[in-house]
């Protein structure tokens, strides 16, 4: 049986769900036919000209990258434009291009898990957790004779859980009571007489988007003219998904040693690794964010971590952050902080589709090329 690009995309989308991508991002298939056969897949941070050449020279049918080649509005992919030329090279060579960007950042495991693992952190959670989806909790009182019918209607309308568990409900037996007044049309009992009925109190969860459907199903299936029910929305709780990670080192160590640890763990770049803060400051709890993480400086400070490792930090935000007593900052090359993700993505694909040949490009796609190390 042949493995297709669609199979590869299925594995990548399961690991890095596109719905986790930020609204401004562009992720997924850039070029390629999902029906084409795939035998070789190359992984890289950037689809630079050199990486595209490597993919084609190796006769890969798919190049999986972190950074979108096309992010802003595109009017042309003509071959006489830089990006258009790359797309023509890829398409003519039968090589697809696929991007997992901020969806890979927020996934679990994601980009910052790979970075955290590379420097020896034990991750405790995301730096900026995404909230879980809100959930409705429906509570309905039903005469016991109709409990199964009402439950069935609620399930059919989308209540009762999703994913690995369906038809989830709680039934608590009890006794309901009511006195129909003149003008009522009671299903049970007579006007003016107090009725006591063996009832079940039924609780089910449902997505808020199904609220109208669940209410309609409840009214249709419930025997009473005016069913007793209430619905409450459970607060959106923090999840294990989100940008960045927080973790702990095996042993506390001075910032000087922690910086050396990061330098040794990440691939060498011209940019190198530099730290801001007292070299003797003791580091144990660390936040990391692969890629440009300066927008999470205040988040890291609020969490009270000892150090924050990210990239693309600038003079003034760093200076102001340190003046307010925030964590020590470690700034590495953007590419270097995301490079560990390539092996993570490769591992996920290799485990799911072991018949594929996979490889991580070792080309340094950091744009900085001249410096103390080159
Ligand atoms: Zn990046």
């Amino acid at each position: 049986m042949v493995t297709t690009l669609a199979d590869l995309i299925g594995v990548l989308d399961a690991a890095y769900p596109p719905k986790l991508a930020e609204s401004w991002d562009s992720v997924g298939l850039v070029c390629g036919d999902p029906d084409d056969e795939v035998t070789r897949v190359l992984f890289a941070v950037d689809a630079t000209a050199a990486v595209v050449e490597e993919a084609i020279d190796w006769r890969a049918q798919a190049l999986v990258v972190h950074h979108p080649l096309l992010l802003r509005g595109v009017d042309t992919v003509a071959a006489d434009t830089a990006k258009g030329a790359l797309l023509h090279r890829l398409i003519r060579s039968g090589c697809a291009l696929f991007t997992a960007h901020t969806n890979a950042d927020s996934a679990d495991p994601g980009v910052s898990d790979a970075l955290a693992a590379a420097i020896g952190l034990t991750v405790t959670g995301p730096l900026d957790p995404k909230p879980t989806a809100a959930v409705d909790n429906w509570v309905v009182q039903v005469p016991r004779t109709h409990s199964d019918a009402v439950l069935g209607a609620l399930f059919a309308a989308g209540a009762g859980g999703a994913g690995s568990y369906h038809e989830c409900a709680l039934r608590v037996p009890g006794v309901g009571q009511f006195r129909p007044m003149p003008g009522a049309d009671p299903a049970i009992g007579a006007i003016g007489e107090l009725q006591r009925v063996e009832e079940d109190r039924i609780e089910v969860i449902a997505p808020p988007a199904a609220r109208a459907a669940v209410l309609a199903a409840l009214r249709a299936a419930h025997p009473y003219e005016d069913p007793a029910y209430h619905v409450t929305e459970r607060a959106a709780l923090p999840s294990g998904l989100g940008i960045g990670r927080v973790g702990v080192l095996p042993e506390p160590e001075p910032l000087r040693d922690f910086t050396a640890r990061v330098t040794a763990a990440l691939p060498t770049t011209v940019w190198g690794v530099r730290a801001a803060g007292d070299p003797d400051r003791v580091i144990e709890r660390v936040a990391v964010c692969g890629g440009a993480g300066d927008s999470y400086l205040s988040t890291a400070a609020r969490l009270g971590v000892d150090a924050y490792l990210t990239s693309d930090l600038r003079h003034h935000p760093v200076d102001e952050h340190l003046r307010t007593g925030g964590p020590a900052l470690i700034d590495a090359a953007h590419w270097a902080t995301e490079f560990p993700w390539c092996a993570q993505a490769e591992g996920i694909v290799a485990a799911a589709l072991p018949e594929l040949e996979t490889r991580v490009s070792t080309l340094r796609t950091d744009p900085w090329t001249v410096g103390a190390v080159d």
Side-chain angles (χ1 to χ4, degrees):
M1 213 183 81
V2 297
T3 302
T4 62
L5 180 57
D7 296 328
L8 174 65
I9 292 170
V11 170
L12 289 165
D13 281 352
Y16 308 119
K19 67 173 194 274
L20 294 180
E22 301 295 317
S23 57
W24 49 263
D25 205 1
S26 172
V27 303
L29 193 61
V30 182
C31 71
D33 184 339
D35 292 333
D36 281 353
E37 183 178 2
V38 173
T39 60
R40 287 185 176 170
V41 187
L42 184 69
F43 295 83
V45 173
D46 299 283
T48 62
V51 168
V52 167
E53 285 313 310
E54 181 185 353
I56 291 168
D57 287 348
W58 187 48
R59 298 194 304 282
Q61 295 84 19
L63 170 59
V64 176
V65 296
H66 182 50
H67 288 144
L69 179 66
L70 309 175
L71 182 58
R72 320 229 180 273
V74 175
D75 300 301
T76 172
V77 289
D80 59 357
T81 64
K83 292 180 177 179
L86 288 185
L87 286 170
H88 277 73
R89 286 284 290 139
L90 286 163
I91 293 167
R92 284 176 176 153
S93 308
C95 184
L97 177 63
F98 183 92
T99 306
H101 190 215
T102 50
N103 48 331
D105 288 328
S106 282
D108 180 18
V111 172
S112 292
D113 287 296
L115 173 59
I119 64 168
L121 285 184
T122 301
V123 169
T124 53
L127 170 61
D128 185 35
K130 280 189 183 293
T132 55
V135 171
D136 281 351
N137 189 49
W138 289 81
V139 178
V140 186
Q141 283 160 239
V142 190
R144 195 154 307 135
T145 50
H146 286 73
S147 293
D148 289 332
V150 169
L151 259 182
L154 296 176
F155 293 154
S164 305
Y165 295 90
H166 286 202
E167 298 182 34
C168 308
L170 175 71
R171 290 162 77 146
V172 181
V175 177
Q177 70 169 57
F178 53 87
R179 188 191 301 272
M181 300 307 286
D185 181 18
I188 305 170
I191 303 293
E193 289 179 14
L194 183 66
Q195 289 296 316
R196 289 205 170 86
V197 185
E198 295 286 316
E199 291 190 342
D200 281 332
R201 178 184 160 107
I202 291 175
E203 293 196 28
V204 289
I205 58 163
R211 205 171 278 175
V214 171
L215 182 59
L218 163 62
R219 287 192 180 284
H222 202 289
Y224 288 178
E225 185 183 18
D226 194 9
Y229 67 92
H230 68 267
V231 54
T232 50
E233 187 178 275
R234 189 181 72 190
L237 303 170
S239 72
L241 306 172
I243 303 281
R245 292 294 182 266
V246 176
V248 288
L249 288 169
E251 300 282 341
E253 62 191 18
L255 176 60
R256 182 184 288 107
D257 293 1
F258 178 67
T259 308
R261 166 195 288 270
V262 174
T263 306
L266 297 184
T268 305
T269 58
V270 165
W271 187 266
V273 175
R274 53 193 186 170
D278 178 354
D280 293 320
R281 178 171 180 165
V282 176
I283 308 299
E284 184 173 18
R285 255 184 100 226
V286 177
V288 301
C289 182
D294 60 348
S295 56
Y296 298 100
L297 279 173
S298 58
T299 310
R302 205 165 53 241
L303 290 174
V305 295
D306 305 310
Y308 177 38
L309 163 63
T310 186
S311 68
D312 294 344
L313 293 178
R314 292 174 299 139
H315 175 98
H316 288 299
V318 168
D319 184 47
E320 279 165 30
H321 168 88
L322 291 176
R323 283 169 200 261
T324 57
L329 299 176
I330 297 89
D331 183 59
H334 187 129
W335 169 78
T337 61
E338 295 177 331
F339 181 72
W341 168 78
C342 296
Q344 179 197 86
E346 181 196 33
I348 287 167
V349 168
L353 302 169
E355 67 278 15
L356 294 183
E357 268 189 83
T358 58
R359 175 163 125 184
V360 171
S361 172
T362 54
L363 291 172
R364 196 171 73 196
T365 58
D366 183 31
W368 305 105
T369 53
V370 179
V373 177
D374 55 23

